[in-house]
Amino acid sequence: MILEMKVPSPGESIKEVEIATWLVQDGDYVEKDQAIAEVDSDKATLELPAEASGIITLKASEGDAVAVGAVVCLIDTAAAKPEGGAPAPAKEEAKPVAEAPKAAPAPAPAPVPAATYAAQSPSPAARKILDEKNIQPSDIVGTGKGGRITKEDAINAVPSMGTPTGGNRGSDRTKLSMLRRKVAERLVAAKNETAMLTTFNEVDMTNIYALRDQFKDEFKNKHGLGLGFMSFFTKAVTRALQLYPDVNSMIDGQEKVSYDFCDISVAVSGPKGLMVPVVRNAETLSFRGVEAEIKRLAIRARDGQITVDEMTGGTFTISNGGVFGSMLSTPIINPPQSGILGMHNVVDRPIVRNGQIVIAPVMYVALSYDHRIIDGRESVGFLVAVKEALENPVELLMHNNPKKALEL
């Protein structure tokens, strides 16, 4: 029988997807549950598995936008599985190639008229001016006798901007994926539809470095996880959100929606571009819980297995540009959220501590926020609370018991 495979719905609000890549060819035999295509929605890239085994007939091309529920391929479930691969084509016996006729010798170049040499021989005064302007005599038409370049020609000559010679001048045009187009639309909308403002601060990372150096091996051995910066930042952010709940709110029409939970969106780089999976109820998670969930989501994003539900519903975003070497940036709000924290690289910098100039590992942090709903007091207070927690993590994030907080 012929099975019609239709596009399943990736999410409630998604009406259309785009065929990003066919992983099989027309006429291939496919196994049930084998990934046969990657489809882009405006939120994620998802794999499309075969619903049955059989010979496949493709009904859409790569790059086609197809509605949810539309037929994209047919599978002939009655077709027998072929044994072995297709026979290789027989080699054709090499045929002797006729020797190409020898090219006739090139004719000798015609003599250059004397006027041409005259045009390339400016007067001494003109030569001096052309040299100062870095202009070649061959680039000018002389008005003197026999085409000779005069002083007036040299004075009036305008240096050429030059024409590129050698090197590649090609270009390539490719269609943006549906995911990338949607990201572009959302970023532009965030800039145009919010009163976005960014405030900055710096964090002395000395105490976090000390904690990681002291406990990272024990943490790794017990939990099988690295003790990274993200767990400290997530814990510091959830604490600050509880102190400044307006930052954990968003605008819906003429109403403000506030949340008593912290769903933290974490920007990660995937093969199809930036993705923002959500750590649910991050305020309830331990350091181990945060590290485990971020690792799980990052692996799913990297492998193209992230779902729409896993990227929907965050209340605040953390973006770590420091992993790429960024020193400072102004992150763009992830709508409909009202705030995003940008992390950056850690660099040894001189700071003042107890009246003395010392060298310390310092990170610049940036909070972009929607000024329509968050005032300066809340935004600055929030960022200062994050800074305080990161600079004093034992007291403010671990309740003076690091081993218990790290479940060691």
mmCIF file of all heavy atoms in Angstrom, residues 37-56:
data_model
loop_
_atom_site.group_PDB
_atom_site.id
_atom_site.type_symbol
_atom_site.label_atom_id
_atom_site.label_comp_id
_atom_site.label_asym_id
_atom_site.label_seq_id
_atom_site.Cartn_x
_atom_site.Cartn_y
_atom_site.Cartn_z
ATOM 1 N N ALA A 37 14.278 13.527 6.817
ATOM 2 C CA ALA A 37 14.391 14.947 6.458
ATOM 3 C C ALA A 37 14.582 15.783 7.713
ATOM 4 O O ALA A 37 14.243 15.360 8.826
ATOM 5 C CB ALA A 37 13.143 15.416 5.700
ATOM 6 N N GLU A 38 15.152 16.960 7.522
ATOM 7 C CA GLU A 38 15.189 17.990 8.557
ATOM 8 C C GLU A 38 14.269 19.117 8.109
ATOM 9 O O GLU A 38 14.376 19.595 6.979
ATOM 10 C CB GLU A 38 16.597 18.522 8.774
ATOM 11 C CG GLU A 38 17.536 17.518 9.412
ATOM 12 C CD GLU A 38 18.931 18.085 9.637
ATOM 13 O OE1 GLU A 38 19.204 19.195 9.120
ATOM 14 O OE2 GLU A 38 19.730 17.435 10.321
ATOM 15 N N VAL A 39 13.361 19.522 8.997
ATOM 16 C CA VAL A 39 12.425 20.590 8.656
ATOM 17 C C VAL A 39 12.629 21.747 9.624
ATOM 18 O O VAL A 39 12.840 21.550 10.819
ATOM 19 C CB VAL A 39 10.956 20.104 8.695
ATOM 20 C CG1 VAL A 39 10.726 19.055 7.632
ATOM 21 C CG2 VAL A 39 10.590 19.539 10.059
ATOM 22 N N ASP A 40 12.590 22.948 9.077
ATOM 23 C CA ASP A 40 12.735 24.172 9.873
ATOM 24 C C ASP A 40 11.366 24.748 10.166
ATOM 25 O O ASP A 40 10.553 24.934 9.254
ATOM 26 C CB ASP A 40 13.547 25.234 9.111
ATOM 27 C CG ASP A 40 15.031 24.941 9.127
ATOM 28 O OD1 ASP A 40 15.457 24.138 9.968
ATOM 29 O OD2 ASP A 40 15.753 25.512 8.287
ATOM 30 N N SER A 41 11.123 25.033 11.435
ATOM 31 C CA SER A 41 9.989 25.872 11.793
ATOM 32 C C SER A 41 10.552 27.227 12.193
ATOM 33 O O SER A 41 11.759 27.448 12.115
ATOM 34 C CB SER A 41 9.204 25.254 12.956
ATOM 35 O OG SER A 41 9.947 25.364 14.156
ATOM 36 N N ASP A 42 9.692 28.136 12.613
ATOM 37 C CA ASP A 42 10.205 29.442 13.024
ATOM 38 C C ASP A 42 10.789 29.409 14.424
ATOM 39 O O ASP A 42 11.207 30.438 14.946
ATOM 40 C CB ASP A 42 9.115 30.515 12.920
ATOM 41 C CG ASP A 42 7.899 30.181 13.779
ATOM 42 O OD1 ASP A 42 7.964 29.238 14.582
ATOM 43 O OD2 ASP A 42 6.873 30.879 13.638
ATOM 44 N N LYS A 43 10.847 28.222 15.056
ATOM 45 C CA LYS A 43 11.398 28.121 16.394
ATOM 46 C C LYS A 43 12.517 27.093 16.509
ATOM 47 O O LYS A 43 13.356 27.194 17.398
ATOM 48 C CB LYS A 43 10.293 27.765 17.404
ATOM 49 C CG LYS A 43 9.268 28.872 17.611
ATOM 50 C CD LYS A 43 8.280 28.479 18.686
ATOM 51 C CE LYS A 43 7.361 29.640 19.063
ATOM 52 N NZ LYS A 43 6.479 30.027 17.981
ATOM 53 N N ALA A 44 12.541 26.076 15.647
ATOM 54 C CA ALA A 44 13.541 25.027 15.788
ATOM 55 C C ALA A 44 13.665 24.236 14.499
ATOM 56 O O ALA A 44 12.817 24.313 13.610
ATOM 57 C CB ALA A 44 13.168 24.089 16.940
ATOM 58 N N THR A 45 14.751 23.456 14.405
ATOM 59 C CA THR A 45 14.934 22.497 13.330
ATOM 60 C C THR A 45 14.650 21.111 13.890
ATOM 61 O O THR A 45 15.221 20.715 14.901
ATOM 62 C CB THR A 45 16.361 22.560 12.780
ATOM 63 O OG1 THR A 45 16.580 23.861 12.222
ATOM 64 C CG2 THR A 45 16.570 21.532 11.690
ATOM 65 N N LEU A 46 13.762 20.377 13.233
ATOM 66 C CA LEU A 46 13.338 19.080 13.735
ATOM 67 C C LEU A 46 13.559 18.012 12.680
ATOM 68 O O LEU A 46 13.538 18.288 11.477
ATOM 69 C CB LEU A 46 11.844 19.125 14.110
ATOM 70 C CG LEU A 46 11.412 20.239 15.054
ATOM 71 C CD1 LEU A 46 9.899 20.292 15.139
ATOM 72 C CD2 LEU A 46 12.015 20.039 16.435
ATOM 73 N N GLU A 47 13.801 16.772 13.145
ATOM 74 C CA GLU A 47 13.934 15.650 12.222
ATOM 75 C C GLU A 47 12.567 15.043 11.952
ATOM 76 O O GLU A 47 11.713 14.980 12.832
ATOM 77 C CB GLU A 47 14.870 14.588 12.808
ATOM 78 C CG GLU A 47 16.331 14.976 12.779
ATOM 79 C CD GLU A 47 17.236 13.829 13.191
ATOM 80 O OE1 GLU A 47 16.710 12.841 13.766
ATOM 81 O OE2 GLU A 47 18.447 13.911 12.940
ATOM 82 N N LEU A 48 12.372 14.601 10.704
ATOM 83 C CA LEU A 48 11.123 13.948 10.302
ATOM 84 C C LEU A 48 11.407 12.459 10.124
ATOM 85 O O LEU A 48 12.155 12.074 9.228
ATOM 86 C CB LEU A 48 10.629 14.558 8.990
ATOM 87 C CG LEU A 48 9.251 14.100 8.489
ATOM 88 C CD1 LEU A 48 8.163 14.553 9.455
ATOM 89 C CD2 LEU A 48 8.993 14.669 7.096
ATOM 90 N N PRO A 49 10.860 11.590 10.987
ATOM 91 C CA PRO A 49 11.125 10.153 10.876
ATOM 92 C C PRO A 49 10.134 9.476 9.932
ATOM 93 O O PRO A 49 8.979 9.889 9.804
ATOM 94 C CB PRO A 49 10.944 9.654 12.314
ATOM 95 C CG PRO A 49 9.920 10.594 12.900
ATOM 96 C CD PRO A 49 10.117 11.923 12.230
ATOM 97 N N ALA A 50 10.592 8.401 9.274
ATOM 98 C CA ALA A 50 9.716 7.623 8.398
ATOM 99 C C ALA A 50 8.674 6.892 9.240
ATOM 100 O O ALA A 50 8.988 6.313 10.274
ATOM 101 C CB ALA A 50 10.533 6.635 7.594
ATOM 102 N N GLU A 51 7.446 6.929 8.781
ATOM 103 C CA GLU A 51 6.358 6.288 9.534
ATOM 104 C C GLU A 51 6.248 4.801 9.235
ATOM 105 O O GLU A 51 5.543 4.072 9.943
ATOM 106 C CB GLU A 51 5.037 6.984 9.208
ATOM 107 C CG GLU A 51 5.007 8.443 9.652
ATOM 108 C CD GLU A 51 3.723 9.145 9.256
ATOM 109 O OE1 GLU A 51 2.811 8.472 8.720
ATOM 110 O OE2 GLU A 51 3.624 10.364 9.480
ATOM 111 N N ALA A 52 6.936 4.318 8.185
ATOM 112 C CA ALA A 52 6.905 2.903 7.835
ATOM 113 C C ALA A 52 8.114 2.604 6.961
ATOM 114 O O ALA A 52 8.815 3.509 6.501
ATOM 115 C CB ALA A 52 5.613 2.552 7.095
ATOM 116 N N SER A 53 8.375 1.315 6.742
ATOM 117 C CA SER A 53 9.470 0.909 5.863
ATOM 118 C C SER A 53 8.946 0.777 4.439
ATOM 119 O O SER A 53 7.792 0.379 4.227
ATOM 120 C CB SER A 53 10.049 -0.424 6.329
ATOM 121 O OG SER A 53 10.567 -0.326 7.637
ATOM 122 N N GLY A 54 9.797 1.095 3.465
ATOM 123 C CA GLY A 54 9.397 0.964 2.078
ATOM 124 C C GLY A 54 10.183 1.885 1.170
ATOM 125 O O GLY A 54 11.145 2.537 1.596
ATOM 126 N N ILE A 55 9.772 1.926 -0.103
ATOM 127 C CA ILE A 55 10.400 2.801 -1.099
ATOM 128 C C ILE A 55 9.759 4.183 -1.002
ATOM 129 O O ILE A 55 8.536 4.310 -1.027
ATOM 130 C CB ILE A 55 10.225 2.236 -2.521
ATOM 131 C CG1 ILE A 55 10.875 0.858 -2.626
ATOM 132 C CG2 ILE A 55 10.829 3.192 -3.550
ATOM 133 C CD1 ILE A 55 12.377 0.862 -2.477
ATOM 134 N N ILE A 56 10.603 5.222 -0.932
ATOM 135 C CA ILE A 56 10.096 6.578 -0.713
ATOM 136 C C ILE A 56 10.061 7.357 -2.022
ATOM 137 O O ILE A 56 10.939 7.213 -2.880
ATOM 138 C CB ILE A 56 10.958 7.325 0.334
ATOM 139 C CG1 ILE A 56 10.277 8.625 0.773
ATOM 140 C CG2 ILE A 56 12.357 7.615 -0.190
ATOM 141 C CD1 ILE A 56 10.913 9.253 1.995
#
